Structure formats: structure tokens, C-alpha cells
Amino acid sequence: MPHEVSHFDALSRLLELERQAERQRLEQARQEKTLGELEDMGLLLLNLESKEQSAGLAGRFIVTFEHAERRPLSTRLSAGDLVTVSPRKAAVENPAGAVVVNASRFMLTLAFDRPPPPYVYEGRLRFDVVSNETTYERLRSAIAKVAALNQGSARHTRELLLGKEPPRKSNQKPFTPSRPLNPEQITAVSAALAAEDFLLVHGPPGTGKSTVLAEIAVQAVRAGERVLCTAASNAAVDHLFDLCLRSGLAAVRVGHPARISPALLAHSLDSQVDAHADRQVSRQLFEEAFELLGYARKQRSQGRARERFANAREAQTEARRLMDEARALEKRAVAAVLARAQVVCATCAMLDGYPLSAEQFDTALLDEATQAIEPLSLIPFLKAKRVILAGDPQQLPPTVISLDAKAKGLEKSLFTRLLEEHGEDEKQLLKEQYRMHAQIMAFPNARLYGGALRAHASVATHTLAPLLTQPVVGAERPVLYLDTAGKGLEESLAPGTASLLNEGEAQLIGDHAQSLLDAGLPAEHMGIITPYRAQAELLRERFFEQPGLDIDTVDAFQGREKEAVLLSLVRSNAAGHVGFLSDVRRMNVAMTRARRHLFVVGDSATLATHPFFEAFIAWAQAQGAYQSIWEWGGP
């Protein structure tokens, strides 16, 4: 049903609810929780010391921290998280801000935009996770700008987004693909090139929606267009950026270097600007300016003579002139790099800030669109004439902290709303998947995709056997559900948290994982996933010395895949409560990360109280993919 312009006012209110919820969560936690509890919540790290310092990442200051006793870190941070750094036992008025470059089990690496204060290198430190207020301001601004589109073609964009006017299309024209594409992918690319306003590309797991977006970029560039590749997350943008580079396109990645994959940094805006002649001159001018400022400070410190003050003023004036000239040269270098790029890649939140705020594009490609809240997805419509949104409504929705905002619709993505308001004719479904064995695909396909998917011949029958040096019980089956009902492997609440764990399931998962590793499966080919953070931490403790083995929550695993995936569902209780496992989108993600082998551990007595799991257990039994723990022959 079409919306009125007041929809944007409502959206702005929901965004403010989310902003307040994030602030309140942090403030309340810091007021009510102990330091240990804050660490358990992932909001704090304590007692780390600097170990290594280096320059890099386009002029940023890189510092690596670890515990003096080399203990594992108590909190897992992710690349791109914002933190403040302060002395462990001394208050500072303005703690140093930094961006997480990398966080392993034992080390934390941060990037500082400015030289860190001396205390960063002196003694034990405290690291607090903080929210990104700049992003909220940009989203609020984007909502206001879209609501204000009231003239000419701009008004059509607004009315289109409100569901009041239909999207325009031109006649589809044949094109020559730059890579092998299946029939649905060809149709999706063709429909995208014919769309004048927007197109929805529905890409179920493994169907190559990013490949389709990369092909659209190639075809648009061939037609003389300027292309924007964007997404809510840096990982998704990096993936698109890599595909564009592999396609031979002149692409540039805009964003903080700490948030860009190290393998792609050489093609980032900062790196390309550093190589520009204007930037090299500006660097020299900055160095001269800093020397003059040092001279001015020295003149003042040596006395109050009129001549010394005159010398200081003259040096400061010249330093300011040199710095203004240097900044102008840097901006010119940035503009030159952006101007020669056929494709610009950046997160949605970066599009409304320097250096992209004034840039415009012919086509914008928005990947993982179903994981972005609507305010984020509006920004590409302000930047480009045509927007192609790719995602999967059957996978995880956007993350929304505020329960009130979620209940009032902030969790609904723009992709989903446009599909509801403009209908299936504006969507292209990709049907052939290149990831999973046909049996791994079968249940999600039947339950969530109406049986529309098919497995490509290259993956339909592949198993773990060629990757193992010896047989492993259960590994010969593409899917194995191990039912723990009646064994007493009950869930428990992790101390000091609201998260659940299941030690019995962790033992079963751990034993099977170790058997696969002993049989020669490389650790990087296996993933262990679970819906609950506490269970993931429990499993990490067992395998902390196993480099390359990914152990994480389902939510964190979206977008990834492994040859073997071991899934611990955790829930086992007399009341039959399944908690947020009832969101079948989360289970769809969990079950579709595996390529050759999916090993699921769970208690049917609890899980079968929900229709989705009841159907899955019945399907597993019918397919010979079911095993009771009472008959289990595994380790």
C-alpha cells in the first residue's frame, strides 16, 4: 500500500529511537555493570599494553596491544569497531579515539588518525566500545533530503519510494557477458540495464548475486556510465570491489583504511592519492609548515622580545599559508583519483560525507540490501539515477537494537518494502546455486524458496571424502542431524551474561571437529557456528590454538561459507522454549553456510515445539540424515 510523505517523518523518529537505544545501552551498562560484566558483554577490554607501533594505512598510526601475560582477550572486537583508549587507573578528559584494524584471540590492533597520546605507550590501558554518532547524523540527513524531493524527476524518485508511482523501464537490449552466466543471471543483468529507476535482485544463498552485480557494473561501464558499488557493511563492499577489480574495471575503494581488507588497500582512495604528484607536493608543504610552527614555538619560548614575537607571527602566517596550499593540493589529488575511476566503492554511510558528498553516478549497486535499515538504503537513491538492490529477504534482517523501533518497522528493509509495494514484476530471482550439495540445499529450498532452486552440477554431489585422508563417522553424509533428546544435555545461562551455552553439545561438536581435523581437513575449510555468543566462546576456548578455524555466531557468519559446517543449536529445556531460533531466517543462514557437509546437533524434544524444526527433523529422518545420540558411533 502506498505511503504518504509522513512516512519519512516516522522513519526519522524510528531512527532516533534506535540512536537513543544504543546510547542508553552503553550508558546503562557502564553505570550498572561491573568491569568484568562489561567485558563479558563485549563493551570493554582491560589491562592490555602496547607491544608494537608502526606507521601505515595511508598515514595512520598503527599500535598493537596484548596482555602482558599473553592471555587471550576476554572480548572479541571486529575490524571497523570504534573504541576509546584511556589509562587503566587514571581518568582523562578526552580519551584517544581509534578504529579496530584487527582483533585476534591474543592481540588487538588499532589505527589512530592522529599521533596517540603518550599514555597509550605507557602501562595498562582500558578500551571502551563507542557508538558512531556521525552515521546517525548522515542517516537523518538522508531521510530529510529524500522527503524534500518535490520538483521534476526528483519528485518521481520520492513518489517511487513511497509506492505512489511505478518504476520506469526501457526495452531490454542484448549484451555480451564478460563471464559465464546462467539463464536467470543473464535475465537479471538484462532487466537491470533496462531499469530506469530500480530493480530488485533476489539472490538466495550461493546463487551469485554479487557476480550479477559485478556483471551489471561491467556492462554499465561499457555503456559509458559511472558506477557506485555500495552496501551497509565494509565486508560486502570489499567483496564487490574485489569482483570489479578482477573484471578489469578502474575501481577505487573509499573508506577508512582500517575498515578495508588489507589485500585491497593498494587500490584504496588513500593509497591512490598517496601516489599522486599533488599529494607528494602537499606532503612536502606540510613538513615545511610543521617546521615553521616549531620555529614559532621556539621563538616564543626564548623570551618576550618584540622581534621574537614578530618572527613567530611571520612563521605562523607562512605555516598557515603552506597548510592551506597543501590541503588544496590534497583535495585536487582526491578529485583527480575519483574522476578517473569508472567504479567507486564505499559503504552507504560514507556516501554523504567527504569526499563523496558531491559525487553523482549513473548506476548504484546496493549489495546485501535486505540487511540494511531503510535510511541507509535511501542514500544510494540520492546519489544515482538508477539503483539495483540485491539481497535475500529469507536471510537475516537488519540489526535493530530498539525493541520499540523494531516493532514499529525499522527492521523492514527498503528492499522488502519496495517488493511489497511494487510487486514481483520488479524482482528477478536467481535460481541456480553454486555452493551446496543438493541435499544441503533441499530443506531450505522446499521450506523457504518454494522449491525454485537447483544445484549446479559442479556442487550437486560433492562431498568431504576427497578432502579427507581417512573416514570419519558421519562425514560421509552431506547432512547429519544428531538428536540429543533424552541424554540430559541441557542448556545453561553463561555466568554474568544473558547468553546461553550447552556444554554437552559443545563436547559433541568439538569431538566431530577434531575428528575432521585429524583426518586432514584444513582448519580454514571448517566453520563452527551457533546462535549464541556464549556457546561460541565456549567452543573457542577448546580450539584457541587452532589457527584458521572459524568459530562464530550465526549472525556473524552470514555471507561466509565453508566446506564443512558444524552447527550447535544449544536449546534444550523442559519448557520447549526455542527463543530467537524461532526466526527461521536465522536458521536458513545457519543451514546454508556449508558446501559439502552440514552437521547439526540439537534436542528434538525442545526444537520440535516449533513447526520449522519439527519439519526439519521429519525431513532428516526421511532422507537418512537423522541419527539419535543413543545410536551415535562418533567419537
Side-chain angles (χ1 to χ4, degrees):
M1 183 176 179
H3 287 70
E4 299 300 323
V5 177
S6 58
H7 166 75
F8 296 118
D9 293 330
L11 198 59
S12 188
R13 289 193 294 272
L14 296 184
L15 184 66
E16 184 58 30
L17 288 175
E18 179 70 358
R19 184 182 199 169
Q20 292 173 5
E22 184 170 3
R23 285 175 174 171
Q24 289 169 1
R25 183 184 70 158
L26 291 172
E27 291 171 4
Q28 183 175 356
R30 291 190 173 112
Q31 290 174 3
E32 299 178 357
K33 303 292 184 181
T34 65
L35 295 182
E37 289 172 335
L38 288 172
E39 283 194 284
D40 289 336
M41 294 174 66
L43 300 177
L44 178 71
L45 267 175
L46 290 173
N47 298 325
L48 273 65
E49 299 177 342
S50 65
K51 293 298 177 184
E52 297 178 2
Q53 304 87 38
S54 62
L57 296 178
R60 272 75 177 187
F61 297 83
I62 309 303
V63 186
T64 297
F65 304 87
E66 63 181 28
H67 283 294
E69 304 85 3
R70 194 162 168 70
R71 289 183 288 109
L73 305 188
S74 57
T75 295
R76 290 293 295 270
L77 298 175
S78 300
D81 286 346
L82 300 180
V83 298
T84 59
V85 186
S86 56
R88 170 67 176 87
K89 293 185 177 180
V92 292
E93 187 172 346
N94 295 303
V99 179
V100 176
V101 176
N102 184 46
S104 68
R105 186 156 179 78
F106 290 96
M107 291 190 295
L108 175 68
T109 303
L110 302 182
F112 296 83
D113 287 341
R114 298 178 180 83
Y119 66 73
V120 167
Y121 305 107
E122 301 167 355
R124 300 190 176 190
L125 301 166
R126 168 177 176 149
F127 303 80
D128 289 275
V129 177
V130 297
S131 60
N132 192 339
E133 292 291 319
T134 300
T135 296
Y136 282 109
E137 286 301 319
R138 289 176 179 174
L139 297 186
R140 183 194 58 76
S141 173
I143 295 170
K145 288 177 182 176
V146 171
L149 297 177
N150 200 33
Q151 301 293 328
S153 60
R155 180 181 176 85
H156 170 71
T157 298
R158 189 187 72 180
E159 299 302 286
L160 175 87
L161 290 168
L162 291 171
K164 291 185 170 185
E165 293 184 11
R168 302 164 299 184
K169 303 174 186 176
S170 60
N171 293 328
Q172 295 189 18
K173 298 177 182 178
F175 68 95
T176 303
S178 67
R179 71 199 75 210
L181 298 175
N182 65 46
E184 291 85 12
Q185 290 174 333
I186 290 174
T187 300
V189 174
S190 181
L193 297 175
E196 296 185 14
D197 295 310
F198 79 89
L199 180 74
L200 306 174
V201 177
H202 183 181
T207 54
K209 61 181 173 57
S210 297
T211 299
V212 168
L213 292 181
E215 183 62 27
I216 295 170
V218 169
Q219 298 300 327
V221 168
R222 285 181 180 177
E225 294 187 13
R226 191 174 190 226
V227 177
L228 169 67
C229 288
T230 189
S233 73
N234 282 284
V237 174
D238 279 348
H239 183 52
L240 269 184
F241 181 43
D242 186 43
L243 289 174
C244 287
L245 291 174
R246 292 175 185 273
S247 300
L249 300 177
V252 62
R253 174 71 162 92
V254 179
H256 194 294
R259 294 186 170 98
I260 300 173
S261 167
L264 301 173
L265 271 175
H267 304 278
S268 68
L269 177 65
D270 284 23
S271 294
Q272 293 189 43
V273 167
D274 275 346
H276 194 276
D278 284 343
R279 168 59 177 153
Q280 294 171 11
V281 174
S282 74
R283 189 181 292 109
Q284 295 173 354
L285 293 175
F286 274 125
E287 290 175 359
E288 292 178 26
F290 291 141
E291 288 179 4
L292 286 169
L293 290 174
Y295 171 77
R297 286 193 297 271
K298 186 176 181 180
Q299 289 293 304
R300 284 199 175 90
S301 68
Q302 290 181 345
R304 302 180 60 84
R306 182 180 302 175
E307 182 180 358
R308 292 189 184 280
F309 274 101
N311 290 340
R313 282 196 299 272
E314 184 179 345
Q316 279 188 312
T317 300
E318 178 63 9
R320 283 195 292 269
R321 187 191 68 78
L322 290 174
M323 293 179 81
D324 288 344
E325 185 178 347
R327 292 190 184 100
L329 286 170
E330 280 194 343
K331 287 185 177 181
R332 196 165 74 181
V334 168
V337 171
L338 291 175
R340 72 186 182 215
Q342 297 168 323
V343 181
V344 175
C345 303
T347 60
C348 293
M350 279 293 302
L351 302 181
D352 199 32
Y354 178 80
L356 296 178
S357 56
E359 299 290 321
Q360 289 293 313
F361 302 86
D362 299 296
T363 296
L365 308 177
L366 174 58
D367 201 2
E368 304 292 7
T370 49
Q371 294 180 53
I373 58 174
E374 183 170 331
L376 269 176
S377 298
L378 291 175
I379 300 177
F381 282 88
L382 293 167
K383 306 296 293 182
K385 302 171 187 175
R386 166 176 61 192
V387 181
I388 310 301
L389 302 90
D392 182 8
Q394 298 298 346
Q395 296 190 58
L396 287 170
T399 299
V400 176
I401 297 172
S402 167
L403 296 179
D404 193 8
K406 180 184 291 189
K408 293 176 179 176
L410 188 60
E411 191 181 63
K412 178 179 286 187
S413 68
L414 181 61
F415 182 110
T416 299
R417 189 170 68 75
L418 291 176
L419 180 59
E420 291 175 352
E421 294 177 359
H422 292 282
E424 294 286 328
D425 287 346
E426 309 309 325
K427 184 190 82 173
Q428 293 292 323
L429 175 65
L430 305 179
K431 298 180 179 180
E432 189 163 59
Q433 64 86 13
Y434 298 82
R435 175 185 300 167
M436 295 164 276
H437 186 287
Q439 191 178 72
I440 298 174
M441 176 194 77
F443 181 74
N445 184 30
R447 193 76 182 180
L448 300 171
Y449 301 104
L453 306 186
R454 63 183 184 274
H456 188 265
S458 64
V459 301
T461 60
H462 66 179
T463 66
L464 273 185
L467 305 181
L468 304 179
T469 58
Q470 63 190 40
V472 174
V473 175
E476 75 282 357
R477 292 188 257 188
V479 180
L480 177 58
Y481 169 62
L482 182 59
D483 186 359
T484 65
K487 197 67 172 178
L489 306 183
E490 294 193 350
E491 67 191 55
S492 60
L493 190 65
T497 77
S499 187
L500 297 174
L501 54 80
N502 188 315
E503 294 185 3
E505 282 193 17
Q507 183 68 43
L508 291 168
I509 290 283
D511 288 346
H512 191 56
Q514 192 61 56
S515 295
L516 292 174
L517 293 170
D518 292 343
L521 183 68
E524 58 269 21
H525 286 344
M526 180 164 52
I528 300 177
I529 60 179
T530 174
Y532 292 92
R533 180 188 292 270
Q535 185 78 341
E537 289 294 338
L538 180 63
L539 286 159
R540 286 192 193 109
E541 288 176 8
R542 171 166 180 168
F543 290 103
F544 75 92
E545 290 183 340
Q546 186 63 59
L549 177 58
D550 278 350
I551 303 175
D552 222 325
T553 62
V554 176
D555 295 39
F557 232 92
Q558 180 153 310
R560 289 189 270 173
E561 61 182 60
K562 295 289 181 179
E563 301 297 338
V565 166
L566 285 56
L567 170 61
S568 171
L569 294 176
V570 176
R571 299 313 300 258
S572 178
N573 54 77
H577 293 157
V578 299
F580 68 4
L581 269 66
S582 61
D583 188 337
V584 299
R585 295 170 296 185
R586 178 169 283 106
M587 288 304 99
N588 183 36
V589 170
M591 293 176 176
T592 56
R593 300 306 94 197
R595 289 174 49 79
R596 301 169 184 259
H597 177 61
L598 174 64
F599 181 73
V600 183
V601 178
D603 178 358
S604 65
T606 296
L607 298 173
T609 59
H610 189 279
F612 179 87
F613 292 102
E614 181 183 28
F616 170 68
I617 294 165
W619 173 87
Q621 290 172 330
Q623 295 293 318
Y626 173 91
Q627 187 79 55
S628 168
I629 193 171
W630 299 100
E631 304 167 338
W632 173 236

